[in-house]
Amino acid sequence: MVQQLPIVYVRGFAGTTAGIDAAVENPFYGFNDGSTHVRVGGSGDPLFYQFESPLLRLMIDHDYQLIVKGDQKAWLLGQQDGEVDPATIWIHRFYDVSASTFGEKPQAFTPEKAAENLLDLIELLQRKTRAPRVHLVAHSMGGLICRSLIQKIIPERQKTTRKNATDYVERFFTYATPHGGIEFDVGFGVLERLRDTFGIGGGEIFGPRRMYEYLTPGKAGSPPPKWRPQDVPDEVFPKHRIFSLIGTNPADYGVARGLSSKAVGAKSDGLVQIENAYIPGAKFAYVHRSHSGRYGIVNSEEGYQNLRRFLFGGLEVQAEIVRLQLPHSDDPGVVWQAETELAVRGLPILMHQQVAAHHCPINVELPAGTADNPVPLITTFLLADPHSRPDEGDPARYTLHLRVLSLREQRRGIFDFDNHLEQTADFDDVLIVDVGTADGRLAAWARWNSQLPMPLRDYRPSGKPLEDEDQAAGIWITHVPLPESARAFLGQNAAVRLTVFDRDQAGLAGLRSAGATAPHSPTRPISAARPQPTGNLLTRTIRRVFGRR
């Protein structure tokens, strides 16, 4: 099992003093906010549905504690070193010193100062809990504070401390963080220049010049021409230890914030554009949630399920389409897209949803490794719980809904619908992955839904399980061919490649140092880059236990 480490939550932007004063009134800076909404029941009637909040669910599902005792930092300082339970949740209350309601003269907020105070909190937690590192969980601007810590504050102190960011942080999860800044679809750049020049509402911290200052060690000036704020250097912090949860619902970003969603455009969560919430090379998921509010990304089941799996999941599973050969067309206006949805049996939500209806289809002909064509196609983390071992008659189940479709786009972004059937895909199927036991050992099966002679809920896997195609220790790979009807026009060798890593063992460290990788596909996949090892080995017999979810 993954070791339980302290979790530190870092909230997002509060704006002016009035917003800061309102933010500090919440003891947990919003990490305790849940949600209630309506789902459609089996009879078609609306039914009440409740999500308790990520704070409460971490306490219920993973036995974390929340210790405040009037003042969490004062309480910590009063404890003996090594006596505090590491399985605890802490709130980085960086805005308190900038509030006007605590009787002291407010201090101006800066990301650098908030990052310095975050390092102080982490060092205190390491001393009091004896935990080697902490998990950082951040919403919106909070992710930039964490990156300032990782990319600027820790490196600047390295000559004295002799420590890297990996000596402090184990895993780093962000909800809707503007890693690439905040831009607008209107105004031709004028709004950004006004914001960054005059510091309107403190929003200049989301512009490139200010971001370069608090993300770069030393005295930073203007960013160099090729500098991108969303890049995290590998030598500073491994990107496989970062997860970006990306929201795709701008419509529900609150009535009062309607101007924001109109300004940043439809391809956003209402405040942060999709491409700016994406870190190239990091883990990610797309969910149809807004930046905050009633249908906000933090107070959502989708956000929590991705969070807990990234922090505690013992196994990482990646999926990508390989050896895909798109049909040749003499019409240069024909473009190809793909859509993916990931579901876990027993959960009422989709773990990942990248579809055209949410303005984020996978554009398979664009360069790989961007928000429009991410690498790999899908990543999920499976919980390993020895108390919930799947049996032969009732395996754990995960499904990948995959669609490939084409449309004709004329110059200047005008669509030609003369020969078009709206929302009708050229290929549309669901890959069912089951994990259970065979001959007393854990094993996996995969089958396309179109091949089932029965309803999905009645299907039970049988026959020989999937085989490991990579004989090297430290990685488990198999290929599942697309259905025959799809291979007829997408290439006879087109397949979904499943790659599994065990995150708990130490075996993959040797693979990384030796530069070992799995073989490349002979033709270009949708996700062209080889997935990087992000945890440790899964043996060919899949010895680790897959969780029920």
Side-chain angles (χ1 to χ4, degrees):
M1 293 291 289
V2 176
Q3 180 183 3
Q4 286 184 302
L5 299 173
I7 294 174
V8 180
Y9 176 68
V10 189
R11 69 154 288 143
F13 187 60
T16 61
T17 300
I20 293 172
D21 289 346
V24 301
E25 291 177 1
N26 187 313
F28 311 113
Y29 270 24
F31 199 46
N32 58 313
D33 289 342
S35 61
T36 60
H37 58 91
V38 169
R39 295 179 61 85
V40 177
S43 63
D45 295 328
L47 297 176
F48 174 79
Y49 183 79
Q50 175 179 338
F51 172 68
E52 303 94 318
S53 82
L55 180 67
L56 188 56
R57 289 291 292 276
L58 286 168
M59 296 167 67
I60 294 171
D61 294 339
H62 296 281
D63 297 323
Y64 267 76
Q65 300 180 53
L66 179 67
I67 304 173
V68 178
K69 302 288 186 179
D71 184 326
Q72 61 174 8
K73 191 169 183 180
W75 182 87
L76 264 177
L77 289 169
Q79 305 308 301
Q80 295 295 320
D81 291 355
E83 289 193 350
V84 178
D85 190 340
T88 42
I89 302 171
W90 306 90
I91 309 300
H92 179 34
R93 295 187 58 91
F94 61 89
Y95 264 138
D96 288 5
V97 295
S98 301
S100 65
T101 54
F102 285 166
E104 297 182 1
K105 183 178 180 180
Q107 299 177 18
F109 164 78
T110 68
E112 295 94 330
K113 185 62 178 177
E116 290 173 358
N117 293 337
L118 177 57
L119 181 56
D120 292 340
L121 176 58
I122 293 172
E123 290 177 330
L124 179 61
L125 288 170
Q126 287 178 312
R127 191 167 74 248
K128 298 300 181 180
T129 66
R130 298 298 188 204
R133 290 165 296 279
V134 305
H135 294 311
L136 293 180
V137 178
H139 174 227
S140 192
M141 180 199 68
L144 299 178
I145 292 174
C146 295
R147 286 186 56 198
S148 181
L149 165 78
I150 290 169
Q151 295 177 232
K152 179 181 177 70
I153 304 304
I154 293 175
E156 287 180 345
R157 297 187 183 182
Q158 196 170 25
K159 290 183 179 180
T160 303
T161 63
R162 305 294 181 185
K163 292 184 177 181
N164 301 314
T166 51
D167 294 313
Y168 297 100
V169 180
E170 178 64 27
R171 289 172 184 158
F172 172 33
F173 184 97
T174 66
Y175 297 94
T177 288
H179 293 289
I182 293 179
E183 301 173 302
F184 303 104
D185 266 3
V186 297
F188 304 99
V190 174
L191 294 179
E192 290 93 333
R193 288 194 292 272
L194 288 173
R195 175 199 64 191
D196 298 347
T197 301
F198 298 103
I200 300 173
E204 74 280 1
I205 64 171
F206 303 114
R209 181 182 179 89
R210 189 69 183 92
M211 293 183 73
Y212 183 68
E213 290 176 348
Y214 62 76
L215 295 177
T216 307
K219 295 181 178 179
S222 298
K226 294 185 178 181
W227 180 79
R228 298 190 308 173
Q230 61 266 50
D231 289 337
V232 179
D234 286 318
E235 64 273 14
V236 173
F237 195 77
K239 285 190 281 289
H240 69 264
R241 289 161 71 166
I242 304 174
F243 192 104
S244 300
L245 191 64
I246 302 165
T248 63
N249 183 1
D252 283 320
Y253 186 46
V255 176
R257 300 182 178 97
L259 290 177
S260 168
S261 60
K262 289 181 174 61
V264 298
K267 194 177 177 181
S268 73
D269 62 10
L271 181 62
V272 180
Q273 292 174 326
I274 288 174
E275 58 265 34
N276 286 336
Y278 176 83
I279 294 181
K283 307 306 171 187
F284 66 91
Y286 290 70
V287 296
H288 196 53
R289 288 287 178 164
S290 60
H291 191 78
S292 62
R294 180 184 178 191
Y295 294 102
I297 197 167
V298 178
N299 54 310
S300 70
E301 185 90 43
E302 293 92 334
Y304 171 70
Q305 294 298 340
N306 276 287
L307 169 67
R308 68 188 296 234
R309 281 162 171 74
F310 176 67
L311 294 187
F312 310 120
L315 296 169
E316 175 179 343
V317 180
Q318 296 180 356
E320 57 185 329
I321 299 182
V322 296
R323 301 191 288 264
L324 184 70
Q325 296 176 327
L326 297 175
H328 175 73
S329 174
D330 294 328
D331 188 344
V334 174
V335 296
W336 288 85
Q337 296 178 340
E339 298 182 334
T340 55
E341 294 177 317
L342 179 67
V344 176
R345 185 166 62 181
L347 295 183
I349 49 88
L350 292 174
M351 293 285 294
H352 168 88
Q353 192 176 25
Q354 193 170 1
V355 297
H358 301 162
H359 308 288
C360 58
I362 300 163
N363 291 287
V364 302
E365 297 174 279
L366 293 180
T370 64
D372 290 314
N373 191 5
V375 174
L377 193 67
I378 289 245
T379 298
T380 191
F381 299 90
L382 309 182
L383 296 180
D385 183 356
H387 301 295
S388 59
R389 178 186 295 272
D391 56 42
E392 292 192 31
D394 187 24
R397 176 165 291 173
Y398 310 87
T399 61
L400 170 62
H401 188 177
L402 177 64
R403 303 174 79 233
V404 178
L405 58 155
S406 61
L407 63 160
R408 189 174 187 273
E409 182 182 351
Q410 300 174 344
R411 292 183 179 181
R412 300 180 182 177
I414 300 173
F415 289 109
D416 180 359
F417 295 106
D418 287 346
N419 194 29
H420 175 75
L421 291 170
E422 179 64 14
Q423 297 190 32
T424 304
D426 297 280
F427 167 70
D428 188 340
D429 213 334
V430 176
L431 181 64
I432 307 155
V433 180
D434 286 285
V435 181
T437 57
D439 299 327
R441 294 182 175 182
L442 288 166
W445 295 260
R447 194 169 181 182
W448 292 98
N449 189 55
S450 62
Q451 299 170 341
L452 298 185
M454 62 197 70
L456 175 56
R457 68 169 51 250
D458 296 333
Y459 164 65
R460 296 293 182 269
S462 60
K464 188 178 180 181
L466 299 172
E467 295 183 358
D468 183 3
E469 300 173 6
D470 192 312
Q471 297 304 309
I475 194 170
W476 186 89
I477 296 177
T478 194
H479 288 76
V480 182
L482 296 188
E484 184 177 351
S485 58
R487 285 183 279 126
F489 66 95
L490 293 176
Q492 283 301 315
N493 295 318
V496 172
R497 178 167 64 192
L498 299 175
T499 306
V500 186
F501 307 111
D502 187 331
R503 306 170 85 204
D504 291 350
Q505 306 300 321
L508 269 183
L511 279 179
R512 286 203 194 94
S513 61
T517 59
H520 284 274
S521 302
T523 58
R524 180 186 180 277
I526 284 185
S527 299
R530 167 73 181 88
Q532 296 299 309
T534 60
N536 293 326
L537 72 99
L538 176 73
T539 64
R540 289 188 297 275
T541 56
I542 318 180
R543 294 170 186 159
R544 290 294 303 169
V545 179
F546 282 70
R548 289 290 301 125
R549 291 182 176 181

